[in-house]
């Protein structure tokens, strides 16, 4: 018996439900998988319109052999199981053994770099694509950057991503776990390290007041643009629009540097996971498009050329659902634009991803100059 072409691994979580919702819209059959069949079934029961979706549910442990067997005969896995720094390798290995495409929702720059360095060539050898961070925050911000770089003579990108919303459990874990990692920006075609535990006052399009942002682990754009011949440098910062939350984030980073980093690595990880679990344990409420707004702003510069492009959007996690479902549909129906390690826009086309987000009313482009 043939298997559904798409498998959502981690389907019991908030983001997994949204991917299922939009795969249902696209009419793509999928398998909702996770470590607990009961939890996955409960999550799917809350997906709007699920009664018209073509799907099944699968329980699978987080082990390479079991995952590879579950992936065999499919075309793509949408991996939503994080933190990706510690958990993505098993899923990547299983996807490679099964010979299928891989996309995930990581927000961790260290995980993106690991996917590039450890898995990119291996996926290319099998004519498959490995696309980390196929999600908000990094796919829409990449769209903004690539539109800004359409202006001839630009070679440097200065970017900002801000949003309103409540991080999910996995997102919260990722925020804490990546405190251990270096955050990088692109400087003259080489990666340079951001200062640790530093906040930055940013002028945000659409607001008179400045907002507080951080390097947010470095983001994906310095890695995406590192191989572009016309791009020399890229800095990107990000944050939540609430100053109160961001003040707490910077304080958390400073506490880590002063009190946790000196400890042995195993103890560091234990403390970070405990703190993450204490912050967010329950399922966040469904996003409200009136309240949960997003901003992705890219300024591209050259010696005399300049361009400023901003995506004004809403509902970061809904955007992730659309982006993941769009990527999966592309991989099922026609395949990626490239193979091996790739960014979301290089694998699926930045205008194509933008068109799907716009069709759901989740973002709109504004070019300032």
């Amino acid at each position: 018996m043939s298997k559904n072409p798409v498998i959502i691994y981690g389907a019991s979580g908030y983001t997994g439900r949204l991917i299922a919702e939009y795969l249902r819209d696209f009419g793509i059959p999928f398998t909702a998988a996770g470590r607990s069949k009961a939890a996955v079934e409960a999550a799917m029961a809350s997906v709007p319109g699920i009664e018209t979706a073509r799907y099944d549910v699968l329980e699978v442990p987080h082990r390479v052999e079991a995952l590879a067997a579950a992936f065999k005969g499919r075309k793509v896995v949408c991996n939503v199981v994080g933190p990706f720094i510690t958990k993505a390798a098993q899923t990547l290995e299983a996807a490679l053994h099964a010979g299928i495409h891989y996309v995930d929702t990581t927000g961790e720059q260290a995980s993106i770099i690991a996917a590039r360095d450890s898995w990119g060539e291996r996926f290319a050898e099998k004519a498959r694509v490995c696309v980390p961070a196929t999600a908000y925050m990094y796919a829409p911000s990449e769209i903004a950057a690539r539109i800004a770089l359409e202006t001839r003579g630009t070679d440097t990108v200065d970017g900002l991503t801000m949003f309103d919303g409540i991080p999910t459990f996995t997102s919260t874990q990722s925020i804490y776990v990546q405190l251990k990692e270096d955050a990088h920006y692109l400087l003259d075609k080489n990666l340079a390290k951001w200062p640790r535990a530093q906040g930055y006052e940013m002028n945000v399009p659409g607001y008179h007041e400045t907002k507080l942002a951080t390097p947010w682990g470095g983001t994906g754009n310095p890695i995406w643009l590192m191989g572009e011949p016309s791009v020399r440098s890229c800095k990107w910062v990000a944050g939540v629009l609430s100053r109160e939350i961001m003040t707490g984030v910077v304080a958390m980073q400073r506490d880590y540097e002063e009190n946790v980093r000196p400890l042995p690595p195993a103890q560091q990880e234990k403390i970070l996971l405990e703190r993450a679990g204490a912050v967010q344990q329950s399922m966040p409420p469904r996003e409200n498009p009136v309240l949960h707004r997003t901003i992705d702003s890219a300024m591209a510069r050259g010696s005399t050329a300049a361009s400023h492009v901003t995506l004004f959007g809403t509902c970061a996690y809904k955007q992730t659902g659309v982006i993941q479902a769009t990527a999966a549909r592309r991989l099922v129906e026609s395949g990626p634009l490239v193979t091996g390690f790739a960014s979301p826009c290089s694998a699926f086309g930045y205008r194509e991803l933008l068109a799907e987000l716009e069709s759901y009313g989740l973002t709109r482009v504004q070019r300032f100059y």
Side-chain angles (χ1 to χ4, degrees), residues 146-346:
R146 292 194 181 274
I147 294 174
L149 288 165
E150 289 176 347
T151 299
R152 293 183 62 183
T154 55
D155 62 9
T156 298
V157 181
D158 183 67
L160 169 69
T161 289
M162 302 291 289
F163 64 97
D164 266 323
I166 303 171
T168 65
F169 177 73
T170 298
S171 294
T172 303
Q173 285 190 312
S174 293
I175 290 168
Y176 273 86
V177 169
Q178 70 180 352
L179 288 174
K180 299 187 301 179
E181 310 294 334
D182 290 321
H184 299 89
Y185 61 94
L186 185 64
L187 179 64
D188 290 327
K189 295 188 176 293
N190 293 296
L191 293 180
K193 294 179 183 179
W194 282 97
R196 292 185 177 275
Q198 178 67 53
Y200 298 88
E201 293 289 341
M202 303 301 296
N203 294 311
V204 181
Y207 294 84
H208 287 297
E209 61 180 343
T210 62
K211 303 288 185 180
L212 184 63
T214 74
W216 207 267
T219 83
N221 287 299
I223 313 304
W224 306 147
L225 298 176
M226 190 174 181
E228 296 291 334
S230 62
V231 178
R232 288 194 313 107
S233 301
C234 174
K235 277 188 173 183
W236 211 280
V237 296
V240 181
L241 286 163
S242 165
R243 178 171 289 274
E244 180 181 2
I245 291 176
M246 290 307 299
T247 300
V249 168
V250 174
M252 173 187 71
Q253 293 173 342
R254 289 174 180 165
D255 174 69
Y256 174 80
E257 294 301 324
E258 294 171 5
N259 301 313
V260 181
R261 186 176 292 281
L263 301 174
Q267 192 173 352
Q268 289 184 44
E269 186 169 339
K270 181 176 182 292
I271 290 171
L272 291 174
L273 290 176
E274 287 175 351
R275 290 182 178 181
V279 171
Q280 176 60 277
Q281 294 180 326
S282 60
M283 188 79 73
R286 189 172 174 85
E287 290 168 302
N288 185 331
V290 176
L291 301 176
H292 297 141
R293 295 174 175 173
T294 66
I295 299 165
D296 295 277
S297 179
M299 295 185 179
R301 273 297 313 268
S303 297
T304 57
S307 178
H308 182 191
V309 172
T310 296
L311 272 60
F312 290 101
T314 186
C315 298
Y317 286 98
K318 288 184 181 180
Q319 289 187 49
T320 293
V322 170
I323 293 163
Q324 280 276 315
T326 299
R329 181 174 64 175
R330 172 66 186 249
L331 293 171
V332 168
E333 295 180 350
S334 60
L337 297 174
V338 297
T339 59
F341 172 83
S343 74
C345 290
S346 60

Side-chain angles (χ1 to χ4, degrees), residues 101-125:
H101 300 293
Y102 172 94
V103 296
D104 73 28
T105 58
T106 185
E108 305 153 17
Q109 190 186 75
S111 180
I112 295 171
I113 293 173
R116 180 195 67 185
D117 295 347
S118 300
W119 302 95
E121 289 185 7
R122 298 171 69 185
F123 272 80
E125 289 170 358

